[in-house]
Amino acid sequence: MIVYAVIARSKDAAILCEYSSEALSSGNAPQVTAALLEHLRSHPSIMQEGELKTFRHRNDGSTSEEDFLSQFMQACTVAINTTEELDPGAVEEHFFHLWHQDEVFYCCLSDDRDPKEQKVNFAFLQALAHDFGGRYSKRRIRNANSYAMDKEFLPMMRSTMH
């Protein structure tokens, strides 16, 4: 199930719009997502324009507090390529699905381990991109302040989320 979605400009990782479902009542998803987007902005070779990728965040307690961010970023730079890597276990995992399209990162956070469900998540991102790109010009997206589209586009995100 998708629990969080965000649309951010890729050149500076400015969040233009975000939505959290009621299922995400606690946690640090917005902060972790912002850190991931900043990392992708700083390392553009990780995710090229037009690519769809899934990154996994594991909360298995194996990282120290002081080194959490660097280890998280190192873990997130490895895309999931096989169903074996989606092996369910006792570790709490979340999956960041991203699409880099037209200088924008479309991202959603889910707890779906099944690759079929992950395809639905990418369809969600593509629907978001279609609606977002249809509503806002590239110029407006390039020049917008952070959260500039939040109030206007949030209802569309909410209705598109499953």
Side-chain angles (χ1 to χ4, degrees):
M1 171 172 59
I2 297 172
V3 296
Y4 175 73
V6 64
I7 299 171
R9 199 171 35 235
S10 59
K11 73 174 182 179
D12 59 1
I15 294 174
L16 303 173
C17 187
E18 72 179 333
Y19 175 72
S20 298
S21 74
E22 292 176 12
L24 187 70
S25 59
S26 64
N28 61 350
Q31 294 84 2
V32 173
T33 304
L36 175 60
L37 292 170
E38 282 289 334
H39 185 74
L40 293 173
R41 179 196 58 79
S42 299
H43 301 88
S45 62
I46 294 172
M47 188 157 187
Q48 302 294 318
E49 180 80 21
E51 280 190 306
L52 297 160
K53 284 193 178 181
T54 298
F55 299 95
R56 176 175 58 195
H57 176 253
R58 297 176 64 117
N59 184 11
D60 60 5
S62 64
T63 60
S64 68
E65 271 186 47
E66 60 192 50
D67 201 28
F68 170 76
L69 186 60
S70 65
Q71 289 186 20
F72 165 72
M73 289 305 170
Q74 183 179 5
C76 281
T77 59
V78 179
I80 297 172
N81 298 313
T82 65
T83 55
E84 288 79 27
E85 291 179 81
L86 297 173
D87 181 35
V91 175
E92 182 180 330
E93 293 180 310
H94 288 93
F95 300 91
F96 292 87
H97 308 284
L98 284 105
W99 188 26
H100 186 196
Q101 185 67 27
D102 294 328
E103 302 175 10
V104 175
F105 287 124
Y106 298 92
C107 176
C108 67
L109 175 66
S110 77
D111 55 4
D112 300 324
R113 296 173 189 269
D114 185 350
K116 291 178 188 174
E117 290 296 321
Q118 292 192 18
K119 288 180 183 179
V120 171
N121 297 330
F122 285 120
F124 165 75
L125 294 178
Q126 291 170 333
L128 270 186
H130 181 300
D131 293 342
F132 192 76
R135 182 171 291 207
Y136 303 108
S137 69
K138 288 184 180 187
R139 182 177 180 199
R140 184 165 179 202
I141 293 168
R142 271 189 229 113
N143 297 323
N145 291 329
S146 294
Y147 296 96
M149 285 84 166
D150 207 47
K151 185 176 180 181
E152 186 178 319
F153 198 73
L154 187 84
M156 179 72 72
M157 287 180 83
R158 184 181 11 225
S159 68
T160 308
M161 218 179 223
H162 73 274

